[in-house]
């Protein structure tokens, strides 16, 4: 590894930013210097991590001098403005917003699926949408074995996918506060914001379509998504129906998934053992259950995919990308 590694976290005071710091600490991520950055409103706060206190600094155009890797989780407008500035300064940006995901010059990476795409970067690497991330390792493994023909998925997403504002909205409504959107989330369900590109779909649904095809390098794969927000604080679940071009074997599929990197199979319906958003809280793995044949179509299955959306769906995936970069740097100097 290079002798000095300087790391920055942009949006360090937010829900995902703080989780990034927690994951970095848990994984003993190597660095020489750590810089925590946020808006002027949050600057000056003290955050404890790595057994010391760090003062949050205000993000500006000069924040990335001598920074090697920056993890961004401060929203699309901040990323669009500051990621190119950081990249120009020689920093590798790993961005958690949607700002760069569909840019042809920016790789969109889930390390268990397409780590080789990292090295196509021109200074910016995009972290996919939380719901996309947890589905990709499952689809990738099954595609390599049986060849995907069509995927239909409905998501059951916690309100934490909307960040701290979403969490505050749910907790406030549970305390009796009037909801600040057309629909409340407490004791209810909601859809995401409508897409400007296609008024029949939400932004989240189109993100999943486009990101799935880009990550898997299957630009014409037939996929369809319905994305729903639930009144829970953490964890995303997905009901997935998959058709394949080739004959399948359920026992073989379970074995294949159980051996997948970062995947755990939890599937014993008879004893009511299956993953739930609550059971995966605080974990980095992707959990799969309810694996069963779909008898209404040839070579088709149904399964249930659950993950902690703030960890694997955001912070952990970004840190894993950074770890891939560090591993490559280490290998280059051996």
């Amino acid at each position: 590894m290079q002798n000095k590694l300087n790391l920055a976290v942009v949006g360090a005071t937010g829900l995902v930013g703080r989780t990034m710091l927690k994951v970095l600490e848990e994984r003993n991520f190597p660095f020489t210097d750590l810089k925590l950055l946020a808006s002027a409103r949050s600057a000056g706060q003290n955050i404890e991590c790595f057994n010391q206190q760090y003062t949050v600094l205000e993000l500006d155009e000069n924040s990335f001098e001598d920074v090697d890797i920056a993890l961004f989780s401060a929203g699309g407008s901040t990323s669009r403005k500051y990621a190119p500035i950081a990249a120009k300064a020689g920093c590798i940006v790993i961005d958690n917003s949607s700002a760069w995901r569909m840019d042809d010059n920016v790789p969109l990476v889930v390390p268990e699926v397409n780590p080789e795409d990292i090295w196509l970067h021109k200074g910016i690497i995009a972290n996919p949408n939380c719901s996309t991330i947890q589905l990709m390792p499952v689809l990738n493994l099954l595609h390599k074995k049986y060849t995907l023909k069509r995927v239909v998925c409905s998501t059951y997403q916690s309100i934490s996918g909307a960040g701290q504002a979403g969490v505050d909205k749910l907790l406030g409504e549970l305390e009796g506060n009037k909801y600040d959107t057309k629909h409340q989330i407490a004791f209810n369900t909601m859809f995401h914001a409508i897409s400007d590109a296609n008024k029949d779909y939400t932004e989240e649904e189109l993100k999943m379509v486009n990101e799935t095809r880009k990550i898997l390098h299957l630009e014409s794969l037939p996929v369809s998504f319905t994305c729903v927000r639930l009144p829970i604080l953490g964890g995303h679940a997905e009901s997935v129906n998959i058709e394949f071009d080739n004959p399948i074997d359920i026992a073989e599929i379970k074995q294949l998934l159980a051996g997948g990197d970062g995947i755990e199979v939890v599937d014993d319906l008879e004893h009511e053992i299956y993953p739930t958003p609550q059971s995966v809280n605080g974990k980095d793995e992707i959990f799969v259950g309810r694996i069963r044949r779909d008898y209404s179509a040839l070579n088709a299955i149904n399964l249930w995919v659950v993950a902690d959306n703030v960890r694997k769906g955001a912070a952990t995936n970004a840190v894993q990308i950074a770890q891939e970069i560090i591993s490559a740097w280490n290998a280059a100097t051996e």
Side-chain angles (χ1 to χ4, degrees):
M1 189 182 76
Q2 59 191 60
N3 293 330
K4 183 179 180 182
L5 174 66
N6 294 332
L7 179 68
V9 176
V10 179
T13 60
L15 182 62
V16 172
R18 287 181 180 269
T19 306
M20 284 176 172
L21 293 173
K22 185 176 181 180
V23 174
L24 288 165
E25 188 171 18
E26 290 171 354
R27 293 177 175 236
N28 196 27
F29 191 90
F31 61 84
T32 303
D33 183 64
L34 174 62
K35 185 182 292 188
L36 306 188
L37 300 165
S39 66
R41 183 180 66 255
S42 299
Q45 293 185 30
N46 291 319
I47 294 179
E48 183 175 352
C49 56
F50 293 93
N51 296 316
Q52 61 179 295
Q53 291 283 337
Y54 288 86
T55 299
V56 177
L57 305 175
E58 182 179 353
L59 175 66
D60 62 32
E61 287 81 356
N62 300 312
S63 293
F64 302 99
E65 295 177 4
D66 299 323
V67 174
D68 300 295
I69 298 175
L71 306 180
F72 273 56
S73 186
S77 60
T78 298
S79 293
R80 280 187 287 274
K81 179 177 179 179
Y82 286 102
I85 292 172
K88 187 175 181 180
C91 174
I92 297 176
V93 172
I94 302 170
D95 180 44
N96 193 59
S97 80
S98 61
W100 302 98
R101 290 176 187 160
M102 297 314 298
D103 189 305
D104 290 339
N105 294 311
V106 176
L108 186 65
V109 176
V110 178
E112 296 90 343
V113 177
N114 59 333
E116 66 282 356
D117 287 355
I118 290 172
W119 306 107
L120 301 175
H121 78 80
K122 295 178 173 61
I124 302 173
I125 302 164
N127 212 32
N129 179 56
C130 47
S131 297
T132 306
I133 287 173
Q134 69 186 63
L135 184 58
M136 291 305 97
V138 174
L139 292 186
N140 185 56
L141 277 176
L142 296 177
H143 176 66
K144 288 181 177 179
K145 181 69 177 180
Y146 304 108
T147 308
L148 297 175
K149 181 179 180 181
R150 183 171 185 255
V151 178
V152 179
C153 174
S154 294
T155 72
Y156 303 77
Q157 300 176 226
S158 68
I159 196 62
S160 60
Q164 190 62 50
V167 172
D168 292 343
K169 173 179 170 62
L170 174 58
L171 295 179
E173 289 174 0
L174 290 173
E175 292 176 353
N177 297 341
K178 182 175 173 57
Y179 51 93
D180 58 355
T181 58
K182 186 168 185 178
H183 300 284
Q184 71 178 45
I185 187 60
F187 310 109
N188 199 18
T189 61
M190 291 175 59
F191 292 113
H192 299 68
I194 197 72
S195 168
D196 290 332
N198 186 326
K199 298 299 184 181
D200 291 329
Y201 288 87
T202 66
E203 291 180 359
E204 189 84 352
E205 290 158 356
L206 292 186
K207 283 178 188 176
M208 292 195 71
V209 170
N210 295 327
E211 293 176 23
T212 295
R213 291 170 172 167
K214 181 173 179 176
I215 294 165
L216 296 177
H217 298 287
L218 297 172
E219 298 304 322
S220 59
L221 177 67
V223 290
S224 181
F225 294 93
T226 300
C227 298
V228 186
R229 289 203 191 280
L230 299 186
I232 58 176
L233 290 177
H236 286 358
E238 298 171 340
S239 173
V240 192
N241 179 268
I242 310 170
E243 294 182 57
F244 301 97
D245 284 334
N246 297 306
I248 58 172
D249 179 86
I250 294 297
E252 186 179 55
I253 285 174
K254 290 183 178 182
Q255 184 177 18
L256 178 67
L257 291 174
D261 185 16
I263 297 174
E264 288 194 19
V265 172
V266 180
D267 191 5
D268 184 356
L269 184 61
E270 181 180 355
H271 296 96
E272 298 185 36
I273 298 174
Y274 44 79
T276 68
Q278 185 180 59
S279 69
V280 308
N281 184 46
K283 299 177 181 178
D284 288 329
E285 295 80 13
I286 297 162
F287 295 83
V288 185
R290 302 297 319 279
I291 304 167
R292 61 208 188 275
R293 186 179 292 273
D294 174 4
Y295 293 103
S296 72
L298 183 64
N299 302 323
I301 63 171
N302 292 299
L303 46 76
W304 179 247
V305 181
V306 190
D308 185 322
N309 57 296
V310 178
R311 289 187 64 103
K312 180 53 184 171
T316 299
N317 198 77
V319 173
Q320 287 178 302
I321 294 171
Q323 288 180 306
E324 290 283 342
I325 295 169
I326 297 296
S327 295
W329 286 347
N330 286 340
T333 57
E334 288 179 355

